[in-house]
Each structure stands twice: as structure tokens, then as C-alpha cells.
Amino acid sequence: MTNLQCRTSETLEVAQEEDEVSRQSEELDGEIVEKEAEENHVKGGKDEDFKQTEDESNKQSTVRSTKRPSALSAVKHLLKLSFGCLAAVACGMLYAAYLSMFHERRFWFSTRPELERELTFQGGSGVYYYYYKHMLAATSFDRAFYELATDDRTLAGQTINAVERLSLYPELITSYIYRVSGSQDVVEPIYFYVGSVLALQAVYATALFTCSWLMSGSLTAGVLAVAWYIVSRPDATKVEEAVPLRENWALPYYACQVAALTGFLCGNIGLVAEMLCYLTMSATTFTFLLLWEHSHYVLFVQAFCLFLLDSLDLVPPRKISDVHKVYVSSLLPAFFFHFNNAALLGSPLLSLLIGSGLAKYLQQKMKKGPLVARVIKLLLHFHLVFTTAITFNYLIKKVVPVGDGEFILKFLEVKFGLNITTDFVSNFLVCQESLQSPTQDLYLRLTQASVLPFYLLVLAVCVLSTLQAVYTKLSGESTQSSKRQPKDGKVGERPEVVYHVFHTLIFGGLTLIFDGMKYLWTPYVCAFAAFGVCSPDFWMTVFRWLRVKSIHPVVQSLILGVAVPTIIGFSVWQEYCPRALAELFELQGFYDPDTVEMIGWIRTQLPAAAVFAGSPQLLGAIKLGSGAAVTSLPLHSDVDMLRRSEDSYQVYSMRSAEEVYKILTSRKANYVIVEESLCNELTPDRGCRIKDLLDVANGHVVRDHGETYAFSKHRRFCQEIKTNRSPYTNYFTRVFWNRSYHIYRVNSVISFQY
């Protein structure tokens, strides 16, 4: 039993030992499994971390790959912009340098004495330079400004605000810059004055370059626009004839304003660029209004073009509202700077802005609905705008008297043949070259320069494309102008292009009536034509209509971007470059010894208080050369000045010595100048001679069988006074004469000699 028990106990001990061994082995296996699990977990975490880092590196490489082309495109865009700006400025500077050389060669400016230099300012424009000299000669700028604002030494017997009456802000600004810049020791005043005007012409050319560049996207277009402008400059600017004219100061700012407006209307412009265009537009609009008395009429035409764009839904309404804010914010300070000039309050520009704003408020759903309903709403919109504008303009002129309204209406009636009048002023203005219809020479010159044919081609395509866009808009279809690409061939959907279509069309229509409007039309014809021939968008529109689809892109780019502008540029260069160089080397000259002799005699022999009567252009030269008071000035926009000129012109009429004497003494004249060129004027157009206009106004005309004859009981005064016989010697005494002029003293005491 004991053995059994011993074996049993041993067996139990063995079994227990086996159980312990098995348990230990299980624990060991568990520990191994746990370690393996931990190792697997660590390995899994490392794999996940590796995958995450790999994904992040892939993302970073993708971002870097996307940033790299965008950065490259930004650099390319910046380089293109910088190069374009340099090209625009270079074209403007070359044009100004050419004008400076041409001005020197034409007038021999640097070799002449001071008086002869001043007399090169033709057409009576020298009177503006007189005020510039006066500003520099004064003891201080404030004192000079006060003297001009209360000027009693220009018009005899009348105190005028010369700054307002003659728009003298260019002279004020230029003289102030000359003073504060310390230029007195560097350059003569006249060179600084002429250089300022020529520098503005460089700005003018640069602005035209920018206009064409913005519309086409091609620098070639800008170069071609400037080239066409230079070869067409006799019909594009007056700077060669009379430097101090108000247009030569103001129109460069208007060109900058148009360039800024063109950029502002672009659909793909950025926020920063749009703000820059807006600020430029604001500054140049105010400056334009400040420098030229007729500027608000030009801006009225521009506002009317924008009104058409807005009414036809071709431009975002927000942009039109921003431009209207520019107009209003410029008109108000200009009104105060022009000493509360009532003409700005009664201007058609302000009336159109008010009429358009009121119509928009009343017709907020005008641009919604089917085609027929929208057309009817559009017609009602036009009626409401113009009715409101005319009513407001009428009320303003009743509250604030503007004296030019009836005068302009009377002139237009005579111009269009609706009325026949004997009024001297109306007939005199109708006979002015700038207010007559242009001759065929204008169109021949533009055709010879090749600008007119290409302009008509570009205009025709753009007008048809615009009509398509208008029909699409009125039909309620979306044009998706913001997503439009040049390959779409829809140039008429671009607001900046459509604006220039309206701009050139309206000014072109005015040019057909008034020759002087060509100076506002021709520069933008050059820019618009250059845009068309260099614009892929324009040519794709043509190819789309012609259904030309088999042209390879490389060939197409050569045709559109290189071939056409190159051919035009080469032809213009070959035709006009030799002419331009010949103008610089051709010996020219401007010399008027009789006028120089007369003014020199006035300076030395007559008292400073002398008052002169004569033709306005000659009186402007006398005011410039001697500073003497005069009875009239060459201002065709001032009705009172034109009436004073009519009295001065009476020396060429068939009136008695006593009648002429009374008229001259009523204007406080001490001396009267008779010009041989006016007294013996021989022109093909007999009806527009000064003496013919006076005969009609004075009733000294007899018509017989369709022929007109002058008849009076007195002979022509300017011819009879030279005989030195009574009764002419009773009232007038000749004190100076040469081949061109006779100066007579108006006797203060009448001596009756027979």
C-alpha cells in the first residue's frame, strides 16, 4: 500500500510538475505572442507614418509643381508689362523729340530775339503766353493770381476775371512749377513753356499706344497706332500751328482718361489694375475739365457712349455707376475752381447723368423679360432719360442764367440752313474753317496713310459683331463674356471695343459736319484701326463668319500677329519716313517783319495807357508784345467778345467816319489799326470775307437776279481813311504805317477841317 501510495504520490508529483511545465510553456507562448503583436503594431505604425510622409511629400511636390508654372507666368506677365510700358514711353518720347526738332527747324526758334519767338504763337494764341509772362514777372504767385482774377488792363473799360474768361489754369500751373522747381537758372521761360506742351504731346502718343495695346493685347498695335498718329498729325493736332491753344494742353489728359476707361471696361482686369484705372480716370477727368472750357461737351459724348453700353446691357452696371461717380466728383470741384461757372451746371453732361440715374431707379427690371418686352422697355428708357435730361437742363438755365443757349441755337439754325440771318456773329462763326464741313482732302490724306480703309474694315466687323451681341443680350441668352476666349471670335461682346465703336462713330459723324472735330476723331481712328489689324480676336471673328477652319495655328498666328501689321508698317515707313526726315532738314522760316516793326514802334513811341482796336488776332499779338489794353480778344466761344470784335471790324465796313468814330470811342479805343490784308481781301469765297459779312449785317447789300452787290452812300472806310481827306482827318490822325498796317490815333478833340 505504501508502495502504491508512494507511486501514486510520485505520480501526482510528476503530474503536478508536468502541469507546471505546461503552464510555464503557455505563459511563455503568450509572452511571445504579445511581443510579436507589439512588434507588428510598431511595424504597422511605422508603415502608416511612412505612408503619411509619402503622401505629404507628394502633396508638397504637387504644390511646388503648381506654384512653379504660376510663378513663371507671373514673371512673364510682369516682364511683358514692363516691356510694354517702356515701349509706350519710348514711342511718346521719340514723338516729342521729333516735334521739338521740327519746331526748331520751322521757326528757327533758338536764333530769334524774344519778340520774334513770341510772334510764332499764331492765330491770336499768343495772348495766353502773355499771362504766363505776367505770372513770372509778378513779385509773388498769390499777387499775380489776384491781378489776373481782377484784371482791368486787358479789355478797355472792363474788369474781367481772366482766369475764368480765358481758362488760364495751364499758365498758372506751368508758372508755379517754373518758380518752385528753380528752373530760372536752367532754362528760359519760353523754352519751359513750349517744352511743357511738347511733353504733353508725348503723353498723348503714349496714351494712344496704351489704348490700342489694351484692346488688342499686342504691342505691335500700339506702335502702329503711334505711327499712324504721327503721319496723320495735320488732322490730329494743332500743336504745330499754335502751341498755347487750350486743346494742346487738355487733349493729352483726355487721351489718358480714355486709356484708363478702356482698361476699366476690360472684362479680365484684376482688382488692383481696376483700382489703378479708376484713380487715373478720376484725376485726368478733373484735370481735363479744369484746363479747357469745352471739355464738358466732349465728356457728354463719352457719357452718351457709356449710356448706350449700359442700356444695351453690354457692360456691368457697377462699372457704369463708378464712371458716373467720377463725372460728378470731377464736375463739382471744377465748378468751384472755375469760380462758380454756370456753364458747368447747365452742361448736357450733368443733365444726362441725372436723367440716366432717375431712369435706372424707376426701371429696375428693364433688362428682364422676352425680346419684344425688352425692346419696348428700352425705347421707354431712352424716352425717359432724354425727357428728364432736357427738363432738368431747362430748369437749371431758368434758375442759373447761361447766356450761350440762344446763341448756339441760332448758330446751328444758320449752319444747317434752317434760317437766314443778317447777324454778323452767327455768319462769322459759320465761315470759320473749324466750323465748316471738311473738304475731301481730309479723307484723301487719311486714305493715303492707309488708316481710313483699315478703320472702315475694322469698324464694319465690330459693328456687325456688336449687333449680334446686342441681339443675344436682348433675347435673354448669356454671352459668357468673362469666359470668352479669342478663338471664340466674338469681338463685339467686349465692352471696351464696343465703347470705341460708339466713340469713333459719334465723333466721326460730328467731323462730317464740323471740320474742327477731326482733332477729336482722327487720333482714336488710328488707335482703333491699329487694334483691329493686330488683334487675334478681330481676325477670328472674320474667319468664323467666313467659316475658315483649315488654317494651321502657326500660320494663323503669323498672319494675324506678324504679317498684316508688318506689311502696313513697312508701307507707312517707306512712304512717310523720307518725308519726316525731309521736314527736319528742310530750310523753313517764319518771319513777319511788318508786325515786328509795328510792335517795336508801339513799345517805344506810345504811352502804356494806350488802347488799341483792330482784328482780334492782331490784338492778341499786340497784347503779347506790348502789354497794351485792347478792345477785343480772339475768343470765339465768348459772345460778348465776339460782339466787341464786330465793333472793331467796323473799320472795314461802308460806314461814315462819324459812325466809326462813335463806335470806337464807345469801346474806349485810343488807336485803331487797319490791316491791308483785310481791307483788300481777295478770296474765292466772297460771302465769308469780313467786309462782306459787315455789309450784310449793316444792310449795305442789294440782291439783283440772284447776284449780291454791296451798296451804301458811304465808301469803304478802310480805303477812304488812307486818302487823308476830310472828314476822316477830322476824327483820325495817322501816326504809323508800313506795307501791312496803318495805325490811326482816335482824336480826343475833333478838328473840323475842310
Side-chain angles (χ1 to χ4, degrees):
M1 290 290 296
T2 55
N3 292 334
L4 182 62
Q5 289 177 350
C6 289
R7 289 190 187 105
T8 305
S9 62
E10 291 177 355
T11 304
L12 290 173
E13 290 177 357
V14 170
Q16 290 177 356
E17 290 178 358
E18 290 178 355
D19 290 340
E20 289 179 0
V21 170
S22 63
R23 189 168 53 252
Q24 290 178 359
S25 64
E26 287 178 359
E27 290 178 357
L28 182 61
D29 292 338
E31 291 178 358
I32 294 174
V33 170
E34 288 179 358
K35 289 181 180 180
E36 290 179 355
E38 289 179 358
E39 290 177 358
N40 291 334
H41 178 70
V42 171
K43 289 182 180 180
K46 290 182 180 180
D47 292 339
E48 289 179 359
D49 292 340
F50 178 76
K51 288 181 180 180
Q52 289 179 0
T53 54
E54 185 177 3
D55 291 340
E56 290 177 358
S57 63
N58 291 333
K59 288 180 181 179
Q60 291 176 358
S61 62
T62 304
V63 170
R64 283 194 296 268
S65 63
T66 55
K67 283 183 179 179
R68 191 177 298 112
S70 63
L72 290 176
S73 63
V75 171
K76 290 180 180 178
H77 179 72
L78 183 61
L79 290 176
K80 182 179 179 181
L81 181 63
S82 302
F83 182 75
C85 293
L86 289 175
V89 173
C91 287
M93 293 180 66
L94 288 174
Y95 174 56
Y98 172 78
L99 281 181
S100 178
M101 295 173 63
F102 179 77
H103 186 267
E104 171 64 28
R105 295 292 291 179
R106 182 180 181 184
F107 299 112
W108 294 91
F109 208 68
S110 60
T111 60
R112 292 182 179 275
E114 185 70 17
L115 177 59
E116 294 182 15
R117 289 179 186 174
E118 294 173 357
L119 291 180
T120 60
F121 300 147
Q122 303 172 32
S125 61
V127 68
Y128 298 110
Y129 184 75
Y130 162 77
Y131 290 104
Y132 171 75
K133 291 196 306 179
H134 180 77
M135 291 291 298
L136 295 180
T139 56
S140 66
F141 181 84
D142 296 338
R143 178 63 184 175
F145 183 82
Y146 174 78
E147 290 177 354
L148 294 188
T150 57
D151 183 17
D152 58 355
R153 292 184 288 183
T154 297
L155 291 179
Q158 189 175 10
T159 300
I160 64 171
N161 185 341
V163 179
E164 176 194 1
R165 197 86 173 265
L166 283 79
S167 298
L168 293 180
Y169 276 106
E171 283 68 33
L172 292 178
I173 297 172
T174 308
S175 62
Y176 181 78
I177 295 175
Y178 186 78
R179 281 174 176 269
V180 300
S181 62
S183 302
Q184 296 90 336
D185 301 328
V186 180
V187 62
E188 297 180 36
I190 193 167
Y191 280 104
F192 189 84
Y193 186 85
V194 174
S196 299
V197 178
L198 297 184
L200 286 176
Q201 304 314 303
V203 175
Y204 203 160
T206 302
L208 294 176
F209 183 107
T210 306
C211 271
S212 195
W213 178 26
L214 287 172
M215 287 190 289
S216 65
S218 170
L219 297 178
T220 308
V223 176
L224 185 58
V226 175
W228 266 335
Y229 172 70
I230 293 175
V231 300
S232 304
R233 70 183 188 280
D235 303 308
T237 178
K238 288 184 178 180
V239 71
E240 295 178 6
E241 301 174 5
V243 170
L245 288 178
R246 306 298 86 183
E247 302 95 299
N248 297 332
W249 290 96
L251 290 182
Y253 290 99
Y254 178 64
C256 292
Q257 193 257 14
V258 172
L261 178 62
T262 303
F264 185 75
L265 293 176
C266 289
N268 56 350
I269 189 173
L271 183 61
V272 177
E274 182 177 320
M275 181 59 65
L276 179 63
C277 290
Y278 182 82
L279 295 176
T280 305
M281 193 164 43
S282 301
T284 51
T285 301
F286 169 70
T287 308
F288 183 52
L289 285 168
L290 190 67
L291 298 182
W292 195 24
E293 67 270 21
H294 302 307
S295 56
H296 57 92
Y297 294 111
V298 179
L299 292 177
F300 165 71
V301 175
Q302 184 184 80
F304 181 72
C305 296
L306 295 174
F307 164 72
L308 293 177
L309 277 174
D310 184 37
S311 300
L312 298 175
D313 199 16
L314 296 175
V315 66
R318 174 188 63 83
K319 292 193 174 184
I320 298 297
S321 300
D322 290 341
V323 177
H324 285 182
K325 293 175 184 177
V326 170
Y327 289 147
V328 174
S329 61
S330 300
L331 272 173
L332 292 179
F335 171 73
F336 293 109
F337 273 89
H338 281 289
F339 303 91
N340 301 337
N341 188 0
L344 292 177
L345 290 182
S347 67
L349 172 62
L350 185 60
S351 301
L352 179 62
L353 294 178
I354 292 176
S356 177
L358 181 62
K360 275 186 177 182
Y361 178 76
L362 297 177
Q363 291 183 298
Q364 297 183 2
K365 297 182 179 180
M366 184 192 73
K367 299 177 182 179
K368 297 180 180 179
L371 176 62
V372 177
R374 292 191 65 175
V375 171
I376 294 175
K377 290 179 181 179
L378 185 62
L379 295 176
L380 290 175
H381 182 69
F382 286 160
H383 175 74
L384 180 60
V385 169
F386 292 122
T387 302
T388 306
I390 293 172
T391 303
F392 175 80
N393 192 267
Y394 175 79
L395 294 176
I396 283 292
K397 290 183 177 179
K398 284 295 183 181
V399 176
V400 182
V402 181
D404 295 343
E406 296 181 0
F407 159 71
I408 295 175
L409 183 61
K410 191 173 184 179
F411 160 72
L412 292 176
E413 288 178 353
V414 177
K415 170 66 180 177
F416 295 116
L418 302 176
N419 189 14
I420 298 176
T421 182
T422 60
D423 181 59
F424 173 83
V425 172
S426 300
N427 292 327
F428 175 76
L429 290 177
V430 170
C431 288
Q432 295 301 302
E433 183 179 356
S434 61
L435 297 177
Q436 291 182 343
S437 299
T439 62
Q440 294 181 354
D441 294 340
L442 168 64
Y443 309 109
L444 291 176
R445 288 191 296 268
L446 293 179
T447 302
Q448 188 178 8
S450 73
V451 62
L452 187 59
F454 283 104
Y455 165 71
L456 294 177
L457 171 64
V458 175
L459 182 66
V461 173
C462 290
V463 166
L464 293 176
S465 182
T466 300
L467 291 177
Q468 286 184 343
V470 169
Y471 178 78
T472 302
K473 281 285 187 179
L474 294 179
S475 300
E477 303 176 14
S478 176
T479 59
Q480 297 180 355
S481 58
S482 61
K483 299 180 181 180
R484 184 192 52 76
Q485 299 293 330
K487 64 182 181 180
D488 297 337
K490 296 180 180 179
V491 70
E493 294 180 1
R494 296 172 55 186
E496 70 277 15
V497 174
V498 181
Y499 163 75
H500 279 272
V501 169
F502 291 150
H503 182 108
T504 55
L505 273 176
I506 295 176
F507 279 112
L510 293 173
T511 303
L512 294 175
I513 303 172
F514 305 108
D515 184 65
M517 297 301 297
K518 66 184 179 183
Y519 301 109
L520 287 164
W521 177 63
T522 305
Y524 302 98
V525 166
C526 298
F528 189 68
F531 140 73
V533 298
C534 300
S535 172
D537 206 356
F538 170 80
W539 290 112
M540 285 307 301
T541 302
V542 176
F543 289 159
R544 183 169 171 266
W545 290 346
L546 298 177
R547 301 183 184 277
V548 178
K549 300 181 180 179
S550 58
I551 300 179
H552 193 274
V554 176
V555 179
Q556 177 181 318
S557 64
L558 288 175
I559 294 174
L560 304 183
V562 179
V564 176
T566 301
I567 294 172
I568 297 172
F570 180 75
S571 64
V572 171
W573 176 272
Q574 187 179 20
E575 179 72 20
Y576 288 95
C577 184
R579 296 186 188 181
L581 294 177
E583 287 178 346
L584 295 180
F585 293 102
E586 182 182 356
L587 295 177
Q588 303 184 46
F590 174 82
Y591 187 49
D592 190 0
D594 293 338
T595 305
V596 172
E597 180 188 6
M598 180 186 64
I599 295 179
W601 182 84
I602 291 173
R603 282 178 167 181
T604 58
Q605 300 298 324
L606 294 184
V611 178
F612 288 88
S615 66
Q617 286 74 19
L618 181 60
L619 294 181
I622 290 175
K623 182 65 181 176
L624 169 63
S626 66
V630 294
T631 59
S632 180
L633 290 174
L635 293 178
H636 294 163
S637 59
D638 192 317
V639 182
D640 177 65
M641 205 69 75
L642 289 170
R643 296 297 179 193
R644 299 174 70 94
S645 299
E646 180 182 3
D647 291 342
S648 299
Y649 277 132
Q650 292 300 326
V651 296
Y652 305 104
S653 67
M654 292 189 292
R655 286 180 177 268
S656 66
E658 182 181 2
E659 288 177 315
V660 175
Y661 178 82
K662 289 180 179 179
I663 292 173
L664 294 178
T665 52
S666 68
R667 295 298 184 184
K668 312 296 183 184
N670 305 132
Y671 296 87
V672 59
I673 304 174
V674 177
E675 300 176 54
E676 289 287 347
S677 59
L678 293 179
C679 186
N680 303 314
E681 186 176 6
L682 296 175
T683 58
D685 191 0
R686 291 177 54 88
C688 280
R689 297 183 301 181
I690 292 296
K691 50 189 179 182
D692 295 333
L693 298 175
L694 290 168
D695 292 340
V696 172
N698 296 333
H700 300 156
V701 170
V702 176
R703 292 182 173 86
D704 183 26
H705 301 290
E707 296 290 334
T708 302
Y709 302 97
F711 175 79
S712 174
K713 63 181 180 179
H714 303 286
R715 307 186 76 175
R716 200 161 298 279
F717 178 87
C718 64
Q719 295 172 352
E720 290 300 309
I721 193 175
K722 287 182 288 186
T723 62
N724 287 328
R725 294 183 304 187
S726 180
Y728 297 94
T729 54
N730 300 339
Y731 299 96
F732 305 95
T733 302
R734 186 166 66 178
V735 294
F736 174 86
W737 69 93
N738 58 24
R739 293 179 305 171
S740 302
Y741 306 105
H742 298 261
I743 300 180
Y744 294 88
R745 183 177 66 244
V746 181
N747 296 332
S748 57
V749 178
I750 303 174
S751 61
F752 291 96
Q753 302 175 2
Y754 297 95

